[in-house]
Amino acid sequence: MLLNYKFENYLSFRDSVEFSMMAPKTKVKNRFPDNIISTDKSCDILKTAVIVGENAGGKSNFVSSLEYLRALFQENKTAKAYRSCVNANNDRKGCGKDSNTLQIFDLEILSDDGEFYLYHLEMDFIGIVKEEFSYKNEYRKRYRKLLFVHRKKYELSCNGNEDKCAGKNICKTSGSAVYDINFPEMEPEMEMAFENAVKSPKQLGLFISKLAILGNEHAMKFTEWMRDSLCPETNAINYDLYKSLKSEEEDFNILNDPRYMEIFRMIDYSIIDIEIDEEKPFTKSMIIRKKEDGSTFSRELSRDSSGVREYFAWAVQIYKVVYEDKVVFADEMDRVLNPVLSDRVIAFINGKEHHGQFIFTTHNVLHLDLKNYMKEQIYFISKNVESLESELYSLADFPEVRYETTKIYEFYMKGILGGDCY
């Protein structure tokens, strides 16, 4: 389960961003018992959250920051900050040497077997600057470091000179780094094997990934969680088309699970069955409905409404939350998750016992509802029209907003909660 996430200097976000799924410690959480995952670790964790923001405000950038970080765990590629992904105001003259390309990520999670992990990464366009990995087995205990890596020096060369830069499009730089590596609790044999594994003129990938390959159980658990349990879903096309292009066997297995049907029917209760097409499940499957007179008719999914097609794909992610304990960040569900369907989905997720989490972004202010959400479950993203920089903040940052207050969306529309008027 995700506890806390922080990042800095990614796309439209220049300053530090903080996002938490920790339940409040106040008595207000007693009003929303179904919204909370209670643990035996002296901490309670939120099941759901909603992030509201205007169009082009930075919602997709927030979700893609998690994709950006997760990709470092999924792919064996150089861990570095790409200038195209740093905040535009930090990319001066298109030169990595003169720009602030330092990106910082912090992730805190609770694993399935009750271990707390804290991961910290700093990287610039050369490579990793600092990487730390810590764990503890009790919430109230202090973290114990398993890995501490710090770049103590590096060599850098480029094809420009002090008087004239070669230019952004043809600029070429190369560098090598020397690291201080510390393993407070590692056995000498493994420490020696690790140091041999990272002796290279170039830094290739994360140090924690190498630690996992060498068999460190904590590194293995964390990297597996990053690859398999964290699911940030962003796309520039319709989600149903996106899923059909990926065509993963895992999705096919979910579609054939009877429990999936319970989720999918929330969009239209006249749907009574699905005939899944094995080759093209997200386009050729047949949706079977029951008419008022009791007769049935079927329609190919590709010929159904766009909302049904997209929800057919998104329902797979909701399944993963409830039945596979995944942490799903769902971006751009506005076309599908209207306030009525949103209430059904959130009630379904909250009504089940699980350890998954569902966070979705929207520009529909009607989701601002203190009857279904605690203030800690509602976030806003807003972009400054002059600097073009985004910021993320929580409704919990406004103590003057009380649960007895109605029509929170009106406060937001008027700019009282920091959002720009529509």
Side-chain angles (χ1 to χ4, degrees):
M1 290 174 284
L2 176 67
L3 304 183
N4 294 291
Y5 173 54
K6 301 178 184 179
F7 69 94
E8 183 177 327
N9 191 20
Y10 178 78
L11 294 180
S12 60
F13 294 93
R14 186 178 190 180
D15 298 327
S16 181
V17 176
E18 298 186 14
F19 177 81
S20 178
M21 290 297 286
M22 298 295 294
K25 297 180 180 180
T26 60
K27 292 182 179 180
V28 71
K29 67 181 180 181
N30 296 331
R31 303 185 191 180
F32 303 88
D34 291 340
N35 296 25
I36 295 171
I37 302 170
S38 296
T39 71
D40 58 358
K41 295 292 182 177
S42 302
C43 67
D44 295 325
I45 304 167
L46 299 174
K47 289 181 179 179
T48 59
V50 57
I51 302 173
V52 180
E54 64 267 22
N55 289 325
K59 301 185 300 296
S60 296
N61 290 344
F62 172 78
V63 179
S64 72
S65 72
L66 285 159
E67 277 192 319
Y68 183 71
L69 178 61
R70 186 184 63 165
L72 299 177
F73 289 82
Q74 291 182 315
E75 305 169 14
N76 186 25
K77 66 178 184 179
T78 301
K80 67 176 185 178
Y82 293 88
R83 295 205 303 273
S84 60
C85 293
V86 304
N87 182 267
N89 293 325
N90 284 336
D91 188 15
R92 302 184 184 91
K93 301 179 182 179
C95 176
K97 292 175 65 176
D98 292 337
S99 300
N100 173 21
T101 60
L102 181 66
Q103 294 178 322
I104 302 174
F105 297 89
D106 286 278
L107 199 69
E108 185 179 19
I109 70 166
L110 175 61
S111 69
D112 294 338
D113 56 359
E115 298 280 2
F116 293 86
Y117 293 115
L118 181 62
Y119 180 71
H120 176 83
L121 176 67
E122 298 179 21
M123 56 185 185
D124 57 17
F125 85 108
I126 299 169
I128 293 174
V129 176
K130 183 186 292 185
E131 189 175 357
E132 299 179 6
F133 179 54
S134 307
Y135 89 104
K136 61 184 179 181
N137 53 24
E138 294 293 339
Y139 178 66
R140 300 186 188 281
K141 289 185 177 180
R142 303 180 72 176
Y143 275 104
R144 299 159 58 183
K145 275 193 172 55
L146 291 173
L147 170 68
F148 178 81
V149 177
H150 181 262
R151 189 175 73 197
K152 60 181 181 180
K153 65 178 182 179
Y154 64 90
E155 296 180 358
L156 176 68
S157 61
C158 70
N159 61 355
N161 54 56
E162 294 182 359
D163 299 323
K164 184 178 180 180
C165 180
K168 182 177 181 180
N169 295 328
I170 58 175
C171 180
K172 295 182 179 179
T173 58
S174 60
S176 60
V178 178
Y179 291 91
D180 271 332
I181 305 174
N182 187 11
F183 309 94
E185 298 186 9
M186 185 175 288
E187 297 178 358
E189 296 81 5
M190 184 175 287
E191 184 171 351
M192 184 177 298
F194 186 91
E195 290 179 349
N196 290 332
V198 300
K199 285 182 178 178
S200 170
K202 295 184 178 181
Q203 168 59 22
L204 299 174
L206 300 172
F207 286 92
I208 190 174
S209 297
K210 297 179 176 64
L211 193 60
I213 292 173
L214 291 172
N216 180 275
E217 63 170 323
H218 296 298
M220 291 170 64
K221 289 178 184 177
F222 184 80
T223 54
E224 182 180 358
W225 188 91
M226 288 294 298
R227 290 194 301 263
D228 300 333
S229 294
L230 181 63
C231 305
E233 296 290 337
T234 61
N235 55 283
I237 57 179
N238 288 353
Y239 193 65
D240 58 314
L241 177 58
Y242 167 73
K243 295 296 281 186
S244 66
L245 293 174
K246 292 184 69 175
S247 187
E248 297 177 339
E249 183 178 352
E250 176 189 11
D251 292 340
F252 182 76
N253 294 333
I254 291 174
L255 293 173
N256 281 285
D257 190 316
R259 295 174 295 182
Y260 168 82
M261 184 65 181
E262 181 184 8
I263 300 171
F264 178 55
R265 287 193 70 232
M266 285 190 282
I267 195 169
D268 183 351
Y269 286 114
S270 71
I271 298 173
I272 60 171
D273 202 2
I274 312 169
E275 293 179 359
I276 303 299
D277 185 89
E278 295 186 6
E279 294 185 2
K280 299 181 178 180
F282 291 97
T283 56
K284 297 298 183 179
S285 293
M286 300 298 294
I287 308 301
I288 303 171
R289 289 177 169 87
K290 185 176 182 179
K291 294 191 291 186
E292 188 176 0
D293 62 5
S295 62
T296 63
F297 70 98
S298 60
R299 180 182 296 147
E300 187 178 277
L301 183 60
S302 63
R303 296 182 179 277
D304 217 309
S305 69
S306 59
V308 169
R309 294 198 307 270
E310 287 213 51
Y311 186 69
F312 184 85
W314 278 116
V316 171
Q317 302 306 109
I318 298 169
Y319 176 100
K320 290 180 180 180
V321 171
V322 175
Y323 297 115
E324 296 182 352
D325 294 337
K326 307 288 188 182
V327 179
V328 172
F329 283 78
D331 187 34
E332 297 297 337
M333 289 191 67
D334 297 274
R335 294 184 298 269
V336 181
L337 212 61
N338 59 62
V340 175
L341 182 56
S342 171
D343 288 349
R344 292 176 185 171
V345 169
I346 297 303
F348 177 80
I349 293 173
N350 289 342
K352 298 288 186 177
E353 292 292 330
H354 59 84
H355 291 90
Q357 294 166 298
F358 183 67
I359 302 98
F360 70 97
T361 70
T362 178
H363 62 252
N364 192 333
V365 296
L366 294 179
H367 290 295
L368 301 178
D369 180 4
L370 290 179
K371 295 180 180 179
N372 295 317
Y373 301 99
M374 287 179 280
K375 292 199 294 183
E376 287 77 7
Q377 294 176 276
I378 297 175
Y379 278 83
F380 302 100
I381 285 181
S382 182
K383 181 182 283 187
N384 186 298
V385 294
E386 295 181 356
S387 66
L388 300 181
E389 294 175 6
S390 301
E391 65 171 330
L392 176 85
Y393 52 96
S394 170
L395 183 59
D397 296 335
F398 297 86
E400 65 273 21
V401 175
R402 305 180 64 85
Y403 281 89
E404 294 76 15
T405 304
T406 59
K407 299 182 180 178
I408 301 299
Y409 65 88
E410 290 188 0
F411 293 170
Y412 179 72
M413 293 282 286
K414 294 176 180 178
I416 296 174
L417 300 177
D420 292 332
C421 296
Y422 280 65

